[in-house]
Amino acid sequence: MRTLRLTTILWVLAFAAFTLIDPSPARAASAAELNRDAKKALQKLYKESSSAKALGEKAKAILVFPSVVKAGFMIGGLFGEGVLLKDGNAVGYYDTVAGSYGLQAGAQKYGYAMFLMNDAAIQYLDRSDGWEVGTGPSIVVMDKGAAGGISTTTTMSDVYAFIFSQTGLMGGLGLQGTKITKIKK
């Protein structure tokens, strides 16, 4: 009886989360749409976080995924497309994918930006055949509490990631195990 009740609750939460996410059909964005959405998302992040803005001014490049969709019930996955910006100009396009299993239910939509702080991080992204987050350059995922204590003089990691514009309901949000691969647009 307890398992049935838990399963019912999880299904209700998953249904509620799906209703919060944009119902438009999944499709690949054009390069122009992706550029526009990435720049708009980055500006929104800068308004919400002065630390992100300060890092953006010092970063060698910024990889922006304006819309990532994560969903699952026991087995889950996520997908999104992003743009690598150098000096405000698009220089490459990437997708982010991940799969997971375990006790999970729901759906969520969010964006994330990765601030590549040095040439080594950019070179790793360029030469890797799909960058699995958690291997390669050191990444610090910033939350609002940690972001308040960072300044451009205290930055020591190769990459800083900010997750923003979260909607929906999903347990556990992170970048570990996510694969980022260069795509053509």
Side-chain angles (χ1 to χ4, degrees), residues 127-149:
R127 74 173 181 263
S128 64
D129 183 32
W131 173 17
E132 187 172 333
V133 175
T135 64
S138 63
I139 297 176
V140 176
V141 178
M142 303 299 292
D143 63 20
K144 288 184 180 179

Side-chain angles (χ1 to χ4, degrees), residues 113-125:
M114 300 178 82
F115 296 83
L116 308 174
M117 302 307 292
N118 54 44
D119 291 328
I122 296 170
Q123 290 167 2
Y124 186 84
L125 181 63

Side-chain angles (χ1 to χ4, degrees), residues 21-174:
I21 293 180
D22 185 9
S24 61
R27 63 174 182 81
S30 70
E33 290 171 322
L34 202 49
N35 292 342
R36 180 197 65 225
D37 292 347
K39 289 178 182 180
K40 186 176 175 181
L42 193 55
Q43 290 305 316
K44 181 177 181 184
L45 175 60
Y46 287 167
K47 285 182 184 177
E48 294 173 0
S49 171
S50 59
S51 296
K53 185 173 170 88
L55 284 172
E57 292 169 356
K58 298 289 185 186
K60 298 281 186 170
I62 305 168
L63 183 55
V64 182
F65 292 93
S67 179
V68 177
V69 176
K70 179 179 181 179
F73 183 75
M74 300 302 193
I75 296 173
L78 67 81
F79 177 79
E81 291 183 326
V83 179
L84 181 64
L85 301 170
K86 287 185 184 176
D87 298 320
N89 298 314
V91 296
Y93 299 94
Y94 294 81
D95 67 18
T96 181
V97 295
S100 59
Y101 64 91
L103 185 58
Q104 58 184 323
Q108 191 166 47
K109 186 176 181 181
Y110 59 93
Y112 72 89
M114 300 178 82
F115 296 83
L116 308 174
M117 302 307 292
N118 54 44
D119 291 328
I122 296 170
Q123 290 167 2
Y124 186 84
L125 181 63
D126 287 342
R127 74 173 181 263
S128 64
D129 183 32
W131 173 17
E132 187 172 333
V133 175
T135 64
S138 63
I139 297 176
V140 176
V141 178
M142 303 299 292
D143 63 20
K144 288 184 180 179
I150 194 165
S151 73
T152 55
T153 58
T154 62
T155 58
M156 291 190 225
S157 289
D158 299 322
V159 180
Y160 290 87
F162 285 80
I163 298 171
F164 56 91
S165 299
Q166 299 167 353
T167 60
L169 299 170
M170 184 81 184
L173 179 64

